[in-house]
Amino acid sequence: MSRLRSSANRSTLVCAAAVLLGAGAVLASTTAPVRDRIPAAWPRIGADRVWLDEEMLGRWRDHGWWTPVVIAALAAGAVLFLGWALAQFRSGRLRELPLGQPGVTLSATALASVMADRAGAVEGVARADVSLLGRPRRLRARITLVLAPDASPEAVLRELAGGTVAEARAAAAPRALEADVRLTTRPHRAPRIR
């Protein structure tokens, strides 16, 4: 998932949580147990308050602009939600990579498998996993490497960038290929002394 989309998702969730928390606090303040405990200086809402009665709703309906604005706002909200939901599914794993000739494609799984084999052959790498994400015109390879305890991360990254990633970029050309590399280490167990 791209950083921009991840940030947008987090911002949306924070805004929705703030709105729901505020609405819940306002509604909770109308109940007697909560209303009696809040400080006297804070605004209070009566328990008998009606938020939108028939008379007020009728006054709003008398304005010719009110109904179209409400419908347009609800439609815009639905379109934005559907666009956001589609964006969550669209940028998942890539299945096929179209090549230069019509009808000729390269399996993204096969390319990821070859990249994982090449990355696993780098000295100091105990295990490698690769998945290709994004769109056919802009690829992103997520590479997860499990390093041996005595491996040098700098040497592994240098060899990976000069070998596996460079070969994958040449295979995907003229498309751009970004590589996200995550390094982890295999747990090293200390010998037991008896």
Side-chain angles (χ1 to χ4, degrees):
M1 182 181 296
S2 70
R3 289 181 184 167
L4 177 64
R5 203 177 79 201
S6 179
S7 300
N9 286 347
R10 287 184 183 135
S11 301
T12 303
L13 287 175
V14 166
C15 291
V19 167
L20 291 175
L21 186 64
V26 167
L27 291 176
S29 69
T30 62
T31 62
V34 175
R35 191 176 56 246
D36 295 341
R37 289 195 171 100
I38 60 175
W42 287 13
R44 295 170 185 253
I45 297 173
D48 57 344
R49 175 175 176 139
V50 176
W51 295 95
L52 190 62
D53 61 355
E54 288 184 25
E55 181 183 336
M56 187 182 297
L57 188 59
R59 274 187 274 141
W60 280 108
R61 284 185 179 159
D62 289 342
H63 298 291
W65 57 266
W66 187 76
T67 304
V69 166
V70 169
I71 292 172
L74 291 174
V79 167
L80 286 173
F81 174 75
L82 285 174
W84 174 77
L86 286 175
Q88 303 305 308
F89 293 111
R90 266 184 44 185
S91 66
R93 289 182 181 257
L94 186 67
R95 301 199 192 293
E96 290 182 343
L97 183 63
L99 297 177
Q101 299 172 352
V104 179
T105 59
L106 173 64
S107 169
T109 307
L111 182 58
S113 176
V114 169
M115 287 179 68
D117 290 343
R118 297 282 290 150
V122 172
E123 184 178 349
V125 175
R127 195 185 76 214
D129 293 320
V130 177
S131 58
L132 287 177
L133 307 168
R135 297 179 182 148
R137 292 188 180 206
R138 185 166 182 152
L139 302 173
R140 194 175 76 224
R142 184 182 296 160
I143 305 169
T144 305
L145 301 178
V146 179
L147 300 180
D150 59 343
S152 166
E154 183 181 354
V156 168
L157 284 175
R158 192 179 316 114
E159 192 173 341
L160 182 75
T164 306
V165 175
E167 291 171 1
R169 283 185 176 145
R175 299 167 188 87
L177 174 69
E178 297 175 5
D180 297 333
V181 181
R182 298 172 192 219
L183 301 176
T184 60
T185 58
R186 178 180 284 177
H188 180 65
R189 294 184 183 177
R192 292 186 179 184
I193 301 174
R194 292 183 187 199

